[in-house]
Amino acid sequence: MTKPSSAKHSKNTGKSASFSFVLKWECINVGVFGQGESVVASPLSFHSGYAAMPTIPTDVLSVAQLARLRIDEAALGDVTDRFTRTLNLVAQLEEIDTAGVIPMSNPHDMHQRLRADSVTEGNQREALQQTAPAVEDGFFLVPKVID
Amino acid sequence: MTLESLTYASATELSSGLRTAEISAVELTQACIDVIAKQNPAVNAVITLCQESALTEAKAADLRLREGSAGPLTGIPLLHKDIFCTRNVATTCASKMLANFIPPYDATVVSRLRAAGTVMLGKTNMDEFAMGSSTETSVFGVTRNPWDLNCVPGGSSGGAAAAVAAGFTPLGTGTDTGGSIRQPASLCGITGLKPTYGRVSRLGIIAFASSLDQAGPMTRTVEDAALMLQAMSGVDAGDSTSADLEVPDFSGGLNQPISGLRIGIPKEYFSQNLDQRVADKIHQALDELVKEGAELVDIDLPHTEQGIATYYIIAPAEASTNLSRYDGVRFGHRCESPLSLTDLYERSRSEGFGEEVQRRILVGTYALSAGFYDAYFKKAQQVRRLISEDFQKAFEHCDVIAGPAAPGPAFPLGAKSDDPLAMYLEDVYTLSVNLAGLPGLSIPAGLVDGMPVGLQLIGRSFDEATLLRVGHRFQLCTDHHHAKPVLGGASQ
Amino acid sequence: MSWEVVMGLEVHLQLATNSKIFSGAANQFGAEPNVQACAVDLGMPGMLPVLNSEAVRYAVMFGLAIDARLGKRSVFDRKNYFYPDSPKGYQISQFFEPIVCEGHFDIPMEDGSLFPVRITRAHLEEDAGKSVHDAYTGQTGVDLNRAGTPLLEIVTEPDFRTAAQAVAYLKALHSLAIYLGISDGNMAEGSMRCDINISLRASGSEGFGTRTEIKNVNSFKFVEKAIAVETERQQDVLESGGTITQETRLYDAEKNETRAMRSKEVANDYRYFPEPDLLPIIIDDEYISAIKSALPELPSIKRERFISDYELSHYDAALLVDTPTLANYFETAAIQSKAPKLTANWILGDLAGTLNRENLDISQSPVSAESLAGLIVRIADDTLSSKLAKQVFEGLWQQEGTADAIIETRGLKQVTDTGALETMVDQVIEANPDQVAQYRAAEEGKQKKLVGFFVGQVMKASKGQANPQLLNTLLVKKLNGS
C-alpha cells in the first residue's frame, strides 16, 4: 500500500519566510492495515532539514520520470531553472492563512447527477482505432510488458 | 448589402440579410473562404479550412432559409478553436501530439452550433493545449495580430480572436481556462465571453484544467455573443459538471437600461501592473457607463495577486493528469521503434509535447506528489475558496465588476516567450474569474497607440445576462467595436 | 520460534450492472478485443465520465448489508499511474471520502462459531483493461473491454490469522454479493479478485511485521495455497535472519509460488486528488431507506432462521444458505417433506455429491426440490430404506418420474409385512442349518456378528426390499429359537 492519507500527506513545518519543506525522507506510516510499514513518501531526493526547492537537477529528473517525460541533458539546466522559478512564484501562497478553509475542487456547490444504467454505446472499434498508432486483431500493441 | 461589407458585418446583420434573401449562405460562406485564402497566410489564424463541407452546409442552410425553418444562426459562418473535437475533421490542439488525430465525434458545443444551422469554415490556431497567452506555442506556427502583424494576438484562443478581427468570420468559438477568451479578445479588439463554469458543456473539448475550462463565443458584438451563447448553453447529460439550470433568453434582455446598476471597481485591478494608457481607456469606458445611469462602487478583491500562484498550481496539476492519456498507445504521436514501455511513454510524450506543456506537466506533477500535496495543491484549493469568497463579498455591494481584461495592449512576438512568468502575468485580471467559476466578458474599449484594449466585465454566477446587457449598452453608445484593422497597417 | 500470520484482504468485486461505471458501453465478459470499449473507456480526448446510478445503489446495498457507516457525501479521486491497461493514465477511484465506511461482517466457521471481521471501507472505482502477453512477438496486446467495469473494492482490517478464516470470509462475501444481486460472482471470469496483505510476527507479540501484498488471486483454492506458500517463504526468510521486503507479489499457480512483480518494483506515487470531472455524490436518508426496505433476506439472517425453524446445525445451515437458489431449494423441499433435517442431509449428501460429479449447479439439478421432497417423504414414512432411497434418487436423477412412480415401476417398496418377511426368514433358517448351529453355539457377543449372514441372505431373497429393523428383530427372535 502506498496510499497516503491526506492528514499524513506532508507536514510543512517551514516557518521561515521562504516556502520551505523540511522533511523529505520522511517515512509515512500509511497502512490501511495499520501494519506499521513504511514507504518513502516522496519520489524526490531531498534530505531531512534540507530547505527546499528542487534546485538540483536530479529532482526535476525524478518529477519527469513520474510524468514519463524525458529531459535532454542539454536542456536540463534551463528546465530546472524555469521549474524552480515557477515554484518560487507559487511560494507566496504560504503566507496566506488558510486554517479551517475547506479546499475548493469545483466552482459550484453542486452534486453528481446519476446516469441510468443502460447500454448506449455499441461496437465502435473501427472508428475509434482509425488513428491508433499500432493495432493488430483489434488489440492495441505496446512493447512487451512483464508483470 | 454588398459582398465587400459581408465579412465585417455582425451575425445579427447577416442573419437579416439571409432572411430577406439579400444574400445567400453560399455567397456568404464563399466570401469568408475568399478572405481567409487571401489574408490567412499573413495572419495564420486558421489551421484547417473545410471549404467543401462548409459550402455543402451553406447549401443546406439556404434550403432551410427558403423553407422558412431557419433560426437566427442558420447560414452564419463560424470557426472553431482547434480544441473542440470535430467529427472527421482533424483536431490537433495545435500540438505535434495530436497532429494526426481525427475524432469520430463532435464536441457538444460543435453539435449544438451545427444544429443551430451555423456553417463550419474550419479550425483556428491556439497555444498548444491552450497553455499560453500569445498563440506562439502552436506547432503550426504563431498567429499574428491583425492590428499589427509583429504583435501577438493573445492566447490561447488567439487564432479565433485574430480571425474575427481580420474579418474571416463573424463568429468563433474559444475556450477560457485562465483568460484564453478574454485576453485575446482584448488584444484583438473583439467581444469575448467566458460563461459561468457549467453553463456550456465541456464534452468533446480537449481538457486542459477540468475545473476551470469553459467554452464561449468570440464575436464582433455583444448582440452576437448573446445569440451564440444561447445556442451553446444548457445542461448536457454527458458532462457531469454542466449545470442543470434553465437558460435565460440572452438576446431578449439586451435592451434593458442599466440605470441604477452598481459597477464594482476593484482597486487591485488598477495596480502598478497595469499599463497607464490601458487604465485611462478603462476609466473612459466606465464614464460612458455612468452616463447611462450606472453607479461606480469601490470594492476589494484582496487575493487578486495570489490568484496567479493559485492558478499556476491548480491548472498545471489538473493538466498534468488530463494529459497522461497521451501515451502513444491509442491515439496521438508515437515515437519510432520504442525499445520498452517506458521508452514508448517517455519518447512519445517528450517528442509530442512542446516546452511549455512539458513545463506545466512537471509543475503539476510536483504539486500533486506525495509530500507536497498539502503544501501546494490543497493549499491552492483553499486559497481558491478565499478568492471565490472575495467575489461573493464584492457582489454584496455591486451587480457587476469592471476592470481591464489584460495589463496592456498586444506585445511584440517573442517579447515574453523566454519568460514564462512574465507571460503568466498577462492573465492576472482574468484567471481569478476562472478560479471562482464566474462569467467574464471582454469588449473593445478603444485603442492605445493603434492597438485595441478590452474592458472586462465580471458577473455573478450564471448571470451572463447582466454582463451582456451592460456590454450591449456600451456598444450602443460607443463604436469601439466597429474599429477594424487594416491588415498589417494602421487602424481605420 | 513460532509465528503468527497477520492478514488483511482487499477484494475487488465486479458489479453486475448493464453498462460501465462511467460510460454507456456494455459491461459483459468475453467479447472480441476492444469492441466494448467506447470513447470514454479509451480515454479519448475530450471524453468525460458520467456516473452509473446502479453502481451507487449496489455500493449502498453492500454498505447496508454489513451495517456500515455510509458516506453521505463521497468523492471520486484520480489515482495516477502509467500502464497500458490504464487508458487515461489514471484510474477513477475513491481515496479521501469513500461511499462505504467502517462496517463489520460475521463469518460462519465450520465449528459453528462466528468469526468477526472488521471492514475498513468499500469504495467504487473503475476496473482496468487486460494485457495479452503471449500472442505477439515482443509485443503486448491491450484489450480495454474490461476498462470501466464497475468495481467495489472492499478492504478489511488485519483481522485474519489463518487461511481458513480468509477463505471463509471470501466465501461469505461471495455469498453476500450473490444474495444482494450486485455481482455475478463468477470467479473464473474475474468477478471477484483478492489481494492478500500478509505479514508474520512472533506469536504473542503485538506489533506488525513488514508485509507483502499478493495481487489478484481469483479462486478460494489459490487463496489458501498462496497464503500457505507465502507464509512459508516469509518464515524461511525471517528464520534465516533476513528481513521481509515490502513489495507486491504475484501468485503463480503452476509453480505454486509467489514472486515479486516487476512492474511494481518502482514505488508508485499515485498523486491522488479529487476528480474534477465528477462532483460529490450525495446520498440522503430517503434514498438509503428506500434501498434498505428493498434488501433481500441476507444470508446471516436466513442462516439463523434455518437453525431455529428447522433445527439445523450451524454448519449445515451455513452451507445451505450459500446461495439463494440453494436456500430456496432446501426450504421448498423441507416444507413439502416435513422432514427438514433429513432434507438437509440429502441435499448436502447425495444431491451435492452427484451435482459435483456432474459439474452442475443447484439451479441445473435434474431433481427438483419437489421431487426430492417426494423421496424424503417416503424415507420418513419407512417406505424406503436408505439403500432403496438411493435407487429411487437415481431414478429421479434420470427423470423417470416422481418418487412414488419410481417405487412403483422399479418395485422398490420396502417389505414391512411381518408375515411375508417371516416366511423368508423361515426359509433361510431352514436352508442353512450349519450356520444356525454355529450361531446358537456362539457366545452372546459373537452372535451379533453372525446374525449379519442371515440378514444378507434374507435381503438377497427380498431383493433388498426387506425393512432392516423389522428383519433384524424377526431373525433374532427365530434364531434364538422362539
Side-chain angles (χ1 to χ4, degrees):
Chain A
M1 294 296 302
T2 50
K3 293 179 179 176
S5 74
S6 64
K8 293 166 183 164
H9 228 113
S10 82
K11 293 168 196 126
N12 178 9
T13 55
K15 295 228 162 58
S16 59
S18 73
F19 202 47
S20 62
F21 295 95
V22 180
L23 52 136
K24 287 319 136 176
W25 274 111
E26 182 200 28
C27 290
I28 298 186
N29 187 343
V30 207
V32 168
F33 298 95
Q35 295 195 17
E37 59 291 297
S38 302
V39 293
V40 176
S42 166
L44 307 176
S45 48
F46 290 111
H47 301 280
S48 186
Y50 195 110
M53 289 306 168
T55 47
I56 44 173
T58 50
D59 296 328
V60 172
L61 289 178
S62 316
V63 182
Q65 191 188 24
L66 204 52
R68 300 296 186 276
L69 293 172
R70 189 172 293 177
I71 299 172
D72 278 349
E73 220 162 288
L76 186 57
D78 254 12
V79 173
T80 306
D81 177 52
R82 289 182 171 190
F83 180 73
T84 309
R85 280 161 61 202
T86 308
L87 291 185
N88 284 333
L89 166 79
V90 302
Q92 57 177 284
L93 289 192
E94 198 201 10
E95 294 153 20
I96 303 174
D97 181 10
T98 52
V101 178
I102 299 164
M104 180 169 155
S105 301
N106 191 279
H108 307 304
D109 187 24
M110 296 195 292
H111 58 82
Q112 182 61 36
R113 280 191 297 272
L114 302 177
R115 175 177 63 80
D117 179 25
S118 52
V119 177
T120 53
E121 305 297 317
N123 177 9
Q124 302 154 56
R125 186 172 75 182
E126 202 185 323
L128 293 172
Q129 291 189 338
Q130 203 175 271
T131 64
V135 164
E136 209 168 311
D137 309 328
F139 287 103
F140 296 102
L141 293 186
V142 296
K144 189 106 185 156
V145 173
I146 301 153
D147 280 328
Chain B
M1 194 172 270
T2 63
L3 269 177
E4 290 68 37
S5 68
L6 280 185
T7 62
Y8 267 109
S10 74
T12 310
E13 290 159 356
L14 292 168
S15 188
S16 81
L18 288 166
R19 278 152 190 280
T20 56
E22 216 177 314
I23 46 160
S24 74
V26 169
E27 286 167 340
L28 175 57
T29 299
Q30 190 59 54
C32 290
I33 291 169
D34 291 346
V35 174
I36 293 170
K38 191 172 158 204
Q39 307 287 10
N40 194 55
V43 181
N44 195 32
V46 178
I47 54 178
T48 301
L49 186 64
C50 304
Q51 188 164 344
E52 210 173 305
S53 61
L55 288 168
T56 308
E57 287 171 25
K59 272 180 206 154
D62 278 332
L63 194 67
R64 255 172 298 162
L65 283 158
R66 278 200 298 276
E67 283 170 350
S69 60
L73 290 175
T74 303
I76 308 293
L78 131 160
L79 283 163
H80 283 297
K81 184 179 182 180
D82 210 21
I83 199 170
F84 293 88
C85 286
T86 43
R87 203 164 81 88
N88 298 336
V89 173
T91 301
T92 68
C93 247
S95 178
K96 181 180 176 188
M97 182 57 87
L98 288 176
N100 298 317
F101 181 61
I102 300 169
Y105 43 81
D106 275 334
T108 300
V109 165
V110 172
S111 56
R112 284 185 176 173
L113 285 167
R114 208 188 280 286
T118 58
V119 171
M120 184 176 91
L121 295 170
K123 310 289 289 284
T124 55
N125 206 6
M126 54 185 282
D127 279 297
E128 185 185 6
F129 280 99
M131 296 177 186
S133 308
S134 64
T135 317
E136 291 174 290
T137 67
S138 166
V139 74
F140 300 104
V142 301
T143 294
R144 291 165 185 270
N145 193 316
W147 293 85
D148 179 346
L149 294 176
N150 295 313
C151 285
V152 302
S156 66
S157 311
V164 172
F168 293 2
T169 174
L171 307 178
T173 52
T175 59
D176 189 318
T177 305
S180 282
I181 287 176
R182 291 158 291 159
Q183 184 259 11
S186 173
L187 270 50
C188 289
I190 66 158
T191 298
L193 173 67
K194 181 202 94 77
T196 311
Y197 182 84
R199 178 64 91 190
V200 175
S201 166
R202 293 185 297 114
L203 182 63
I205 299 172
I206 296 178
F208 165 11
S210 308
S211 76
L212 301 163
D213 293 347
Q214 187 63 199
M218 301 181 76
T219 58
R220 300 222 170 86
T221 67
V222 170
E223 215 175 5
D224 285 3
L227 267 186
M228 204 173 150
L229 181 64
Q230 200 77 48
M232 295 168 78
S233 295
V235 65
D236 179 2
D239 174 5
S240 304
T241 63
S242 68
D244 193 1
L245 292 173
E246 206 182 318
V247 180
D249 177 1
F250 294 119
S251 301
L254 283 180
N255 286 312
Q256 284 174 27
I258 60 163
S259 54
L261 190 99
R262 298 165 303 164
I263 299 178
I265 309 299
K267 64 170 181 294
E268 294 83 359
Y269 280 37
F270 295 85
S271 66
Q272 78 271 20
N273 290 329
L274 183 64
D275 185 320
Q276 189 51 49
R277 299 167 302 168
V278 175
D280 294 344
K281 287 288 164 197
I282 300 303
H283 286 302
Q284 286 167 22
L286 293 171
D287 290 344
E288 292 293 333
L289 293 171
V290 170
K291 276 188 220 158
E292 293 296 312
E295 178 195 334
L296 302 186
V297 190
D298 287 329
I299 56 157
D300 283 328
L301 295 172
H303 294 97
T304 297
E305 211 183 317
Q306 289 93 342
I308 301 179
T310 306
Y311 178 85
Y312 278 98
I313 293 170
I314 291 175
E318 292 185 6
S320 72
T321 99
N322 279 334
L323 269 58
S324 291
R325 70 191 62 203
Y326 306 104
D327 58 4
V329 178
R330 297 163 315 286
F331 44 77
H333 177 73
R334 183 189 183 103
C335 67
E336 286 289 330
S337 322
L339 302 172
S340 65
L341 187 63
T342 306
D343 190 43
L344 167 71
Y345 286 156
E346 291 187 350
R347 273 204 291 137
S348 299
R349 289 167 61 77
S350 301
E351 292 167 7
F353 292 136
E355 245 180 71
E356 178 63 19
V357 172
Q358 293 195 43
R359 182 155 47 241
R360 297 205 196 184
I361 291 174
L362 286 178
V363 169
T365 302
Y366 180 79
L368 290 173
S369 62
F372 303 98
Y373 180 90
D374 281 5
Y376 281 97
F377 189 72
K378 191 178 159 202
K379 182 85 181 179
Q381 283 198 317
Q382 289 174 311
V383 179
R384 181 178 188 179
R385 186 169 298 280
L386 296 179
I387 290 169
S388 173
E389 288 169 357
D390 285 351
F391 279 107
Q392 280 173 32
K393 281 176 207 150
F395 280 122
E396 288 170 11
H397 307 287
C398 62
D399 303 303
V400 291
I401 293 170
F411 48 90
L413 292 164
K416 298 185 181 180
S417 40
D418 283 336
D419 186 355
L421 301 192
M423 190 73 89
Y424 295 170
L425 277 172
E426 272 296 299
D427 295 329
V428 61
Y429 306 127
T430 47
L431 43 75
S432 292
V433 177
N434 297 75
L435 289 168
L438 304 173
L441 174 71
S442 176
I443 48 175
L447 303 177
V448 163
D449 292 344
M451 296 302 284
V453 164
L455 166 72
Q456 182 181 209
L457 298 168
I458 301 163
R460 295 190 178 98
S461 257
F462 298 104
D463 189 18
E464 292 87 356
T466 301
L467 293 187
L468 293 166
R469 177 158 60 102
V470 178
H472 182 60
R473 176 63 46 182
F474 184 74
Q475 293 188 339
L476 286 176
C477 62
T478 63
D479 56 6
H480 301 306
H481 59 294
H482 291 312
K484 53 189 181 201
V486 172
L487 265 177
S491 64
Q492 294 183 337
Chain C
M1 179 159 195
S2 82
W3 299 94
E4 184 177 48
V5 187
V6 177
M7 289 175 288
L9 302 181
E10 287 169 45
V11 169
H12 289 88
L13 187 70
Q14 286 186 337
L15 300 178
T17 51
N18 299 320
S19 61
K20 297 201 176 162
I21 184 165
F22 298 123
S23 82
N27 173 22
Q28 235 170 24
F29 181 84
E32 288 285 298
N34 291 311
V35 304
Q36 278 172 194
C38 71
V40 173
D41 305 324
L42 295 182
M44 300 290 281
M47 290 297 104
L48 297 171
V50 185
L51 183 58
N52 184 336
S53 54
E54 278 299 87
V56 175
R57 195 169 70 88
Y58 287 177
V60 170
M61 285 173 77
F62 177 79
L64 289 170
I66 60 158
D67 203 17
R69 183 169 68 81
L70 292 170
K72 298 273 173 75
R73 176 187 190 274
S74 67
V75 174
F76 283 102
D77 301 296
R78 289 187 184 175
K79 176 182 182 179
N80 294 284
Y81 66 97
F82 284 90
Y83 207 64
D85 65 11
S86 167
K88 298 185 294 299
Y90 57 83
Q91 177 195 32
I92 305 177
S93 180
Q94 296 191 300
F95 180 69
F96 295 109
E97 297 175 71
I99 187 160
V100 177
C101 308
E102 320 81 60
H104 59 85
F105 194 22
D106 290 339
I107 311 307
M109 301 299 290
E110 274 201 33
D111 63 4
S113 66
L114 289 176
F115 174 68
V117 175
R118 291 171 298 159
I119 306 292
T120 313
R121 57 185 280 157
H123 63 257
L124 286 167
E125 62 182 27
E126 55 181 342
D127 208 343
K130 274 182 185 168
S131 299
V132 175
H133 299 302
D134 315 318
Y136 307 95
T137 322
Q139 310 252 58
T140 290
V142 182
D143 172 12
L144 296 168
N145 280 345
R146 197 179 68 177
T149 295
L151 290 179
L152 190 64
E153 180 175 337
I154 304 154
V155 182
T156 75
E157 294 291 307
D159 286 350
F160 303 95
R161 299 292 175 268
T162 67
Q165 290 168 346
V167 170
Y169 163 73
L170 293 172
K171 285 186 172 168
L173 195 61
H174 184 258
S175 167
L176 178 62
I178 287 171
Y179 266 77
L180 294 171
I182 63 175
S183 178
D184 67 13
N186 192 329
M187 299 187 65
E189 293 176 1
S191 294
M192 187 169 148
R193 314 191 295 268
C194 182
D195 299 345
I196 308 158
N197 289 278
I198 175 168
S199 66
L200 262 54
R201 67 179 173 195
S203 296
S205 76
E206 288 289 310
F208 292 109
T210 306
R211 70 196 169 81
T212 59
E213 181 177 13
I214 311 171
K215 274 274 182 213
N216 272 336
V217 191
N218 68 351
S219 86
F220 299 137
K221 194 173 79 187
F222 290 164
V223 166
E224 200 160 358
K225 286 183 159 184
I227 291 172
V229 293
E230 180 60 12
T231 303
E232 204 176 315
R233 188 192 70 84
Q234 289 194 14
Q235 194 172 333
D236 286 349
V237 171
L238 292 170
E239 288 181 350
S240 59
T243 50
I244 302 298
T245 310
Q246 187 183 331
E247 63 192 355
T248 306
R249 300 179 71 84
L250 206 62
Y251 174 67
D252 183 331
E254 259 170 54
K255 296 181 185 160
N256 191 35
E257 62 174 30
T258 67
R259 58 180 159 81
M261 283 179 82
R262 285 192 48 188
S263 56
K264 305 273 179 180
E265 265 170 17
V266 183
N268 251 324
D269 179 348
Y270 290 125
R271 287 161 284 140
Y272 286 98
F273 78 107
E275 161 62 289
D277 287 332
L278 292 166
L279 300 168
I281 310 169
I282 306 294
I283 51 174
D284 57 23
D285 292 337
E286 200 184 337
Y287 177 80
I288 294 169
S289 60
I291 292 178
K292 198 170 195 170
S293 63
L295 279 185
E297 184 182 34
L298 299 178
S300 54
I301 310 284
K302 205 185 269 289
R303 190 175 63 233
E304 293 311 310
R305 186 166 64 75
F306 279 10
I307 292 167
S308 64
D309 287 8
Y310 302 118
E311 297 178 324
L312 300 184
S313 71
H314 285 81
Y315 184 59
D316 284 359
L319 290 177
L320 286 169
V321 301
D322 183 41
T323 65
T325 320
L326 179 59
N328 288 341
Y329 187 102
F330 162 75
E331 206 159 15
T332 307
I335 289 167
Q336 289 196 10
S337 69
K338 299 191 179 65
K341 283 171 94 168
L342 196 55
T343 304
N345 291 343
W346 268 86
I347 291 174
L348 297 172
D350 289 70
L351 179 64
T354 317
L355 288 169
N356 273 345
R357 199 176 58 230
E358 302 291 326
N359 220 351
L360 294 175
D361 183 80
I362 184 74
S363 62
Q364 302 161 301
S365 170
V367 182
S368 69
E370 291 76 9
S371 302
L372 188 72
L375 169 64
I376 307 290
V377 166
R378 291 294 163 244
I379 301 168
D381 72 5
D382 275 346
T383 306
L384 295 173
S385 65
S386 59
K387 197 169 173 190
L388 288 174
K390 283 182 196 297
Q391 291 183 46
V392 175
F393 179 76
E394 195 193 290
L396 290 175
W397 188 271
Q398 303 300 336
Q399 295 180 298
E400 290 170 13
T402 62
D404 284 350
I406 293 164
I407 291 167
E408 197 61 40
T409 50
R410 287 201 181 187
L412 295 176
K413 211 164 195 157
Q414 186 165 239
V415 180
T416 47
D417 174 342
T418 318
L421 256 188
E422 214 169 338
T423 314
M424 281 189 256
V425 168
D426 288 344
Q427 281 167 358
V428 168
I429 287 176
E430 218 176 283
N432 297 286
D434 293 354
Q435 280 80 356
V436 174
Q438 204 182 337
Y439 175 87
R440 287 187 175 150
E443 293 167 23
E444 208 175 320
K446 285 195 175 169
Q447 281 181 338
K448 275 196 174 162
K449 277 188 183 169
L450 292 167
V451 81
F453 167 78
F454 299 100
V455 171
Q457 292 299 308
V458 179
M459 276 296 180
K460 208 169 165 185
S462 74
K463 293 174 187 153
Q465 284 163 258
N467 179 318
Q469 285 87 36
L470 189 60
L471 171 60
N472 213 50
T473 319
L474 274 174
L475 264 174
V476 172
K477 202 170 93 185
K478 296 263 178 190
L479 286 169
N480 289 343
S482 52

